[in-house]
Amino acid sequence: QVHLVESGGGLVQAGGSLRLSCRASGSIFSINAMGWYRQAPGNERELVARIITGGTTNYADSVKGRFTISRDNAKNTVYLQMNSLKPEDTAVYYCDGDIRVGAHTYHYWGQGTQVTVSS
């Protein structure tokens, strides 16, 4: 069993910064990719940023230049540094991972962490 646990959400004023963390734990053989999605009320869940083995990253256009995803492989942890936050960044942020357990790779979600940006 694998668990993803997020932390670092909260309330911040527009223009401020937050750093989200997500740690994977359990019977992990390897991690292929980890990332962040978000879901605002009434909207579908959308990709924010993702990082794959080797360090290749991709970002939603709406966060390019403001958010940075990084990964600490030794800690099985992915981070999302969010700068210049806007009210439209308000959402529940979910961590995800494509994680190999034994001979198979599975997709996992974290429980989510709320980010609220006030204007």
Side-chain angles (χ1 to χ4, degrees), residues 42-96:
N43 291 354
E44 293 187 353
R45 192 171 297 188
E46 63 176 4
L47 173 71
V48 176
R50 217 149 193 266
I51 184 167
I52 65 173
T53 302
T56 301
T57 58
N58 64 294
Y59 295 90
D61 288 343
S62 59
V63 307
K64 283 180 181 177
R66 299 188 298 123
F67 292 9
T68 302
I69 189 169
S70 61
R71 184 171 151 182
D72 185 332
N73 293 327
K75 296 181 179 179
N76 290 335
T77 299
V78 65
Y79 305 95
L80 186 68
Q81 178 66 43
M82 304 185 293
N83 299 328
S84 302
L85 282 160
K86 305 175 181 180
E88 51 263 44
D89 294 317
T90 295
V92 177
Y93 283 68
Y94 297 91
C95 172
D96 88 309

Side-chain angles (χ1 to χ4, degrees), residues 10-18 82-87 116-119:
L11 172 65
V12 65
Q13 288 189 331
S17 298
L18 282 175
M82 304 185 293
N83 299 328
S84 302
L85 282 160
K86 305 175 181 180
T116 303
V117 184
S118 63
S119 57

